[in-house]
Amino acid sequence: MDFTPTEEQAAARDLAARIFGDLSTHERLTAVGTGSDAELWKALCEAGLPAAVEDTGLLGLVLLLEEQGRTTAQVPFAATCVYGLLAVSAHGSAEQRERLLPAIGDGTVVVTGALPEAAVRVGGFGELSGVVPVVPWLRDATHVLVADDEHSLWLVRTVDARCEPVELTAPWSAGRLTLDGTPGEPLGERERLAERLAERLAERLGGSDAGVPGQEAYDDVLATARTAFAGLQAGVCAGSVARAVDHTNTREQFGRPLSTKQAVQLRAADAYMDTEAIRVTAYEAAWRRDEGLDYAAHALTAAWWASEAGQRVVHAGQHLHGGTGADLDHPVHRHFLWGRQLDAYLGCGSEVLQELGALIVDGEGDA
C-alpha cells in the first residue's frame, strides 16, 4: 500500500490548508458562535474543493478533513462530501449524478446523513416516517441521506421535513429530523425501489428470504463516513497537539519552559503517537476503498482509534495547557469539544470494538 498523495491530492490539501488557515481564525470562530461559517463555506466551494473529492477519492477527502480539523472550521465539509458527493457518485442513478453532483460541488446543495441509528419506516410509495434525534449540520443542509429500518437509502429534502435546532458538544449546526409521510427519493435507479418494496411485501406476507435490500450501499456509505470522520479527528488531534507544544515551549515555570519537564514530554509524546495511529488507520481504510478493496474492518479500526485515542489526545492537549486549558474561550477548548463530539459520533470505543470483533468472527474482515 502507498499513502503518498498524488499531485492532485497534494495540491487540494495545500489549498485547503491555506484557506482554512486564513479564514478559520480564533476571532472568526468566536464571531460565528455555534453556527456555521457561510463565508468560509462559500470560499471552499469557489475554490472547487468539495467538487475535487470526486476525483481525489476518499483518501483525498481524508487529507482535506485533516486540514479542517486542525482549525476546527465550522463548515459542513465532511457531511456533504460523504453523504452527498461520494454516496451519490458511487450509488446514485445516472440522472441523480447529473443533477446533484454539480450542485453539491458548487455548494448550492448541501447534504448531511441520518446514519446509522435512524429508525425510519417506509409507507406507501416512498413516504418516510420516523424521528432522528440528532443529525449533524442539519441546519445547513438542503438534503438528508436517510437510512430506513431495512437499510435502504433515501434522499429527503429538508423543506419537506420538520427540522428543529439541537445544540451538541461541538458546534455542528445539528438538528432533530422528524419525518411524517415525508416523500423520499431512493438513492439509485427508481426501478430498484419497486423491486425493494415488492421484496419487502413478499417477505412480510409469505416469509420470503429476500435478504436486506440496499445493504451493500448502506454498508459502503457507513464505512466511508467512519473513515472520513476518523480523518477529521486526526486533524482535530493534530491541532490540539500543536497548540500544546506551542504553549509548553513558551510558558515558563521556575525559569524553564514547561516543555523541558519529563512528564510534559511523555504526555505530549503519547498524544503524538495516538494522533499518528488515527491518521495511518484512516489513510489505510481510505486507500483500500479507492483501490476497490474490502475495507469494512479497516474503517472500524480507524473509527476505534479515532474514538478511543482521540478523546485521550484532546484531554492531554487541554491538560498540558494547565490553568489556561480551563478557559472555555481558549482555542484549545474547541479541539476538546470536537474530539469528544467525534468520539460520541463514531461510537464509543467499546461499541466499535465489539462490532469489529463480530465482523472478524464472521469472517468478513481481516484479523
Side-chain angles (χ1 to χ4, degrees):
M1 65 192 86
D2 183 4
F3 305 149
T4 304
T6 64
E7 185 176 341
E8 187 176 21
Q9 289 170 338
R13 178 198 60 197
D14 294 344
L15 178 58
R18 186 163 66 251
I19 294 175
F20 284 127
D22 290 345
L23 298 183
S24 187
T25 62
H26 175 59
E27 292 74 22
R28 283 178 65 97
L29 289 170
T30 301
V32 168
T34 61
S36 293
D37 190 334
E39 291 184 22
L40 173 57
W41 179 241
K42 181 180 178 181
L44 292 168
C45 293
E46 288 179 346
L49 288 175
V53 172
E54 190 176 0
D55 296 321
T56 60
L58 183 53
L59 181 55
L61 176 60
V62 166
L63 293 171
L64 298 179
L65 292 178
E66 274 194 85
E67 301 307 324
Q68 179 186 359
R70 291 179 198 275
T71 60
T72 60
Q74 292 170 202
V75 288
F77 200 104
T80 201
C81 286
V82 168
Y83 301 119
L85 193 140
L86 290 178
V88 172
S89 178
H91 305 289
S93 66
E95 186 276 331
Q96 286 172 332
R97 292 194 297 271
E98 182 179 357
R99 169 167 49 93
L100 293 173
L101 291 180
I104 295 171
D106 65 23
T108 54
V109 167
V110 176
V111 186
T112 188
L115 277 74
E117 74 284 354
V120 174
R121 296 189 66 83
V122 183
F125 196 77
E127 296 177 346
L128 308 178
S129 297
V131 177
V132 186
V134 177
V135 180
W137 291 288
L138 182 63
R139 282 176 269 167
D140 299 330
T142 60
H143 293 71
V144 187
L145 186 67
V146 176
D148 66 23
D149 57 347
E150 296 191 17
H151 290 180
S152 292
L153 298 177
W154 304 78
L155 282 168
V156 174
R157 298 192 309 164
T158 53
V159 295
D160 296 330
R162 187 162 81 248
C163 305
E164 304 164 277
V166 173
E167 296 299 334
L168 302 181
T169 301
W172 283 6
S173 295
R176 174 187 175 93
L177 178 69
T178 302
L179 305 173
D180 186 9
T182 305
E185 175 186 356
L187 185 66
E189 299 293 342
R190 288 187 176 273
E191 290 77 7
R192 294 200 335 237
L193 173 60
E195 294 175 4
R196 290 182 214 157
L197 295 177
E199 288 172 352
R200 290 175 184 173
L201 182 61
E203 184 177 357
R204 289 169 184 168
L205 296 181
S208 171
D209 185 14
V212 182
Q215 186 71 47
E216 182 179 348
Y218 173 86
D219 289 345
D220 177 59
V221 172
L222 182 57
T224 299
R226 284 168 166 160
T227 303
F229 281 96
L232 183 61
Q233 181 76 300
V236 169
C237 291
S240 177
V241 171
R243 291 189 183 279
V245 169
D246 181 68
H247 176 79
T248 55
N249 277 332
T250 56
R251 181 81 169 183
E252 292 189 356
Q253 186 180 64
F254 307 118
R256 298 175 61 194
L258 288 173
S259 59
T260 62
K261 310 291 184 182
Q262 188 177 45
V264 171
Q265 294 172 357
L266 293 175
R267 191 81 192 273
D270 285 343
Y272 173 80
M273 293 304 297
D274 273 338
T275 301
E276 288 302 297
I278 299 170
R279 175 182 288 115
V280 73
T281 51
Y283 282 9
E284 181 178 10
W287 175 82
R288 290 183 67 89
R289 182 192 188 272
D290 292 343
E291 292 295 314
L293 303 173
D294 176 70
Y295 73 111
H298 301 80
L300 280 166
T301 301
W304 181 83
W305 274 105
S307 176
E308 193 79 2
Q311 54 94 7
R312 286 199 302 263
V313 173
V314 295
H315 274 266
Q318 195 155 359
H319 185 202
L320 288 171
H321 278 75
T324 305
D327 182 358
L328 301 185
D329 295 324
H330 194 280
V332 76
H333 189 66
R334 291 195 186 91
H335 293 270
F336 175 78
L337 296 179
W338 277 68
R340 292 313 307 259
Q341 185 64 60
L342 283 161
D343 170 30
Y345 187 63
L346 289 164
C348 73
S350 59
E351 292 176 340
V352 176
L353 195 61
Q354 183 178 14
E355 187 176 347
L356 176 60
L359 188 69
I360 293 174
V361 168
D362 290 341
E364 298 180 22
D366 298 327

